[in-house]
Amino acid sequence: MTLVANWRRVLSRAWSVRFIALTFALIVLDFALPAFEESLGLPPRTFALISGVTSAAAFVARLVVQPAVSGGQQ
């Protein structure tokens, strides 16, 4: 496994990385704070559902050209 040449730029600007980080944060919240959902009046497993959506968004974002990352190259 080899890193892409512009890995620092990818980490700081790629939407897929941002969505993956958000997914991770939501999974941690879902696991660590189940009472948090109840105190906000949210249905059970709300954070898990949102995690799935952000994970799907990361998949899509990985396939879309992001000029800030690749300079518009395809």
Side-chain angles (χ1 to χ4, degrees):
M1 185 182 301
T2 305
L3 294 176
V4 293
N6 63 343
W7 66 270
R8 286 186 179 103
R9 187 177 185 104
V10 171
L11 276 179
S12 66
R13 297 189 179 181
W15 278 100
S16 57
V17 173
R18 294 173 187 175
F19 284 128
I20 291 168
L22 179 58
T23 299
F24 177 74
L26 290 167
I27 289 170
V28 168
L29 282 174
D30 183 49
F31 178 75
L33 302 171
F36 190 61
E37 288 176 323
E38 294 173 15
S39 68
L40 291 175
L42 299 173
R45 309 300 295 169
T46 299
F47 291 124
L49 176 65
I50 297 171
S51 296
V53 170
T54 58
S55 180
F59 179 78
V60 171
R62 183 64 184 105
L63 300 176
V64 174
V65 173
Q66 300 174 47
V69 176
S70 61
Q73 299 172 359
Q74 293 184 5

